[in-house]
Amino acid sequence: MSATRTVERPSNRTVMPPSRQRRGRRLVLGTPLPPWYVQLAKALVLGVFCAVVIAPFVAIISTSIAPRDQISRAGGLVLWPDAVNLDAYRSILSGGVVTQAALISVGVTVVGTALSLFTSCLLAYGLSRPGSFASRPMLLIILFSMLFSAGIIPTYLLVRGVGLIDTLWALILPTMISGFNVVVLRSFFMNIPAELLESARIDGAGEWRIFSGIVIPLSKAVLAVIGLFYAVSYWNAYFNALIYLNDSGLWPLQLVLRTYVINETALSNTDLSVAENLPAQPSLQMAILVVSLVPILIVYPFLQRHFAKGMMIGAVKG
């Protein structure tokens, strides 16, 4: 019995060189990569734009911690400090007007954000339920408020009429509910399956139990986004304080920032409750600016992962 010999036929496929193989993979996966010099040019342009954006922040922080003599030589802003000097932060946080304004801003932001979220969620949930009393007229009123406002003088007369002048409630109540945020919350609540809510009603749950036990836990993403919107709005607001607060002891941090940084009013030892010599005025001004930026920079990274999800889900259906 003779062994069968197998003859291998030569393959018709030609083997491409490695460079062409890599190019073929690029073409299969998507658009081919541009030449190296085009990528380098894009990287340089992107780097320039990033430097333009980052440079002001670096200058603000550097000026706030730079020594007095270096600020004098630079004539104001310093791009890189020769040494770290924290006297400006010790001065503004020593218990004077800046410390008091920062505590007021934190209190207004926390209380205002909590009240705004609570009332906006209640209103949006009521508007999202089919068969709610006067839901359509209420929705039209909210949409109308997004297009037209009462104006400064009527709003001031209303705030004065209810006795909110020179009170911190004047910074919260006039802007407590945003029509845009209510519409976004309503759209999100309408996307919650009706079968889930009906099953809870069959089990004996009331509307408040459904709202607090089912709707709110399912809405963490959109609540994080809307809460960030409200918090940033309260923290950065200064116009209401400028109009409604005549007592400088009730000023929030943004109004202090406007007075001593934008208007370039000099800070004195009395303003900061400091007995020794104060640091340079540019250093104090930049330190106030850094203090006003830090809270939002701290909170935003924790809420950023919810930002895109919450906005997309809440804005898909109206």
Side-chain angles (χ1 to χ4, degrees):
M1 187 173 179
S2 61
T4 305
R5 296 179 59 187
T6 58
V7 178
E8 295 183 359
R9 296 180 179 180
S11 176
N12 294 327
R13 295 191 305 173
T14 59
V15 179
M16 292 188 300
S19 60
R20 293 190 61 186
Q21 289 181 2
R22 288 194 295 270
R23 182 174 178 272
R25 283 198 297 269
R26 293 171 187 170
L27 290 172
V28 171
L29 294 177
T31 306
L33 293 176
W36 66 270
Y37 52 85
V38 176
Q39 300 182 49
L40 179 61
K42 290 181 179 179
L44 291 176
V45 172
L46 183 61
V48 170
F49 279 106
C50 290
V52 171
V53 173
I54 295 174
F57 292 96
V58 175
I60 290 170
I61 297 174
S62 299
T63 306
S64 66
I65 61 176
R68 177 189 288 272
D69 55 350
Q70 185 181 6
I71 296 175
S72 300
R73 292 196 308 269
L77 292 177
V78 175
L79 289 179
W80 193 259
D82 295 336
V84 176
N85 187 355
L86 300 178
D87 290 342
Y89 292 96
R90 296 190 188 99
S91 299
I92 66 172
L93 298 178
S94 60
V97 62
V98 179
T99 304
Q100 183 179 358
L103 294 177
I104 290 174
S105 290
V106 170
V108 169
T109 301
V110 172
V111 176
T113 302
L115 290 176
S116 295
L117 273 179
F118 180 71
T119 54
S120 298
C121 287
L122 286 179
L123 179 57
Y125 179 70
L127 295 175
S128 67
R129 295 303 93 200
S132 298
F133 176 74
S135 60
R136 183 61 60 179
M138 287 290 295
L139 180 59
L140 292 178
I141 292 174
I142 293 173
L143 295 176
F144 183 82
S145 69
M146 295 172 59
L147 302 176
F148 304 97
S149 61
I152 297 176
I153 295 177
T155 305
Y156 178 83
L157 294 176
L158 176 61
V159 172
R160 189 182 66 178
V162 296
L164 296 181
I165 297 296
D166 276 339
T167 64
L168 293 180
W169 289 111
L171 307 181
I172 298 175
L173 296 181
T175 57
M176 189 169 65
I177 296 180
S178 168
F180 173 79
N181 293 338
V182 171
V183 171
V184 173
L185 286 169
R186 173 183 174 271
S187 301
F188 187 91
F189 293 158
M190 291 179 67
N191 290 330
I192 297 177
E195 295 80 6
L196 180 62
L197 306 182
E198 288 297 330
S199 63
R201 290 190 182 93
I202 294 174
D203 291 338
E207 289 296 334
W208 177 255
R209 177 62 178 170
I210 294 173
F211 174 74
S212 60
I214 298 177
V215 175
I216 294 300
L218 292 176
S219 308
K220 292 180 179 179
V222 71
L223 290 180
V225 175
I226 300 302
L228 180 62
F229 284 169
Y230 276 126
V232 172
S233 175
Y234 281 117
W235 181 262
N236 290 332
Y238 77 94
F239 191 67
N240 284 355
L242 183 65
I243 296 176
Y244 304 135
L245 299 182
N246 300 317
D247 184 5
S248 60
L250 298 176
W251 283 1
L253 185 59
Q254 300 303 327
L255 194 54
V256 171
L257 182 68
R258 177 184 180 274
T259 302
Y260 294 104
V261 177
I262 298 178
N263 294 342
E264 296 185 354
T265 302
L267 285 159
S268 62
N269 296 76
T270 306
D271 295 328
L272 299 179
S273 301
V274 176
E276 62 270 11
N277 293 330
L278 293 177
Q281 287 295 323
S283 181
L284 292 172
Q285 293 171 351
M286 296 303 105
I288 297 174
L289 189 55
V290 171
V291 170
S292 67
L293 292 174
V294 164
I296 300 300
L297 294 178
I298 293 176
V299 172
Y300 184 79
F302 296 98
L303 302 179
Q304 190 225 1
R305 61 191 182 95
H306 299 291
F307 193 85
K309 179 182 176 183
M311 284 304 299
M312 289 300 295
I313 295 176
V316 167
K317 189 177 179 182

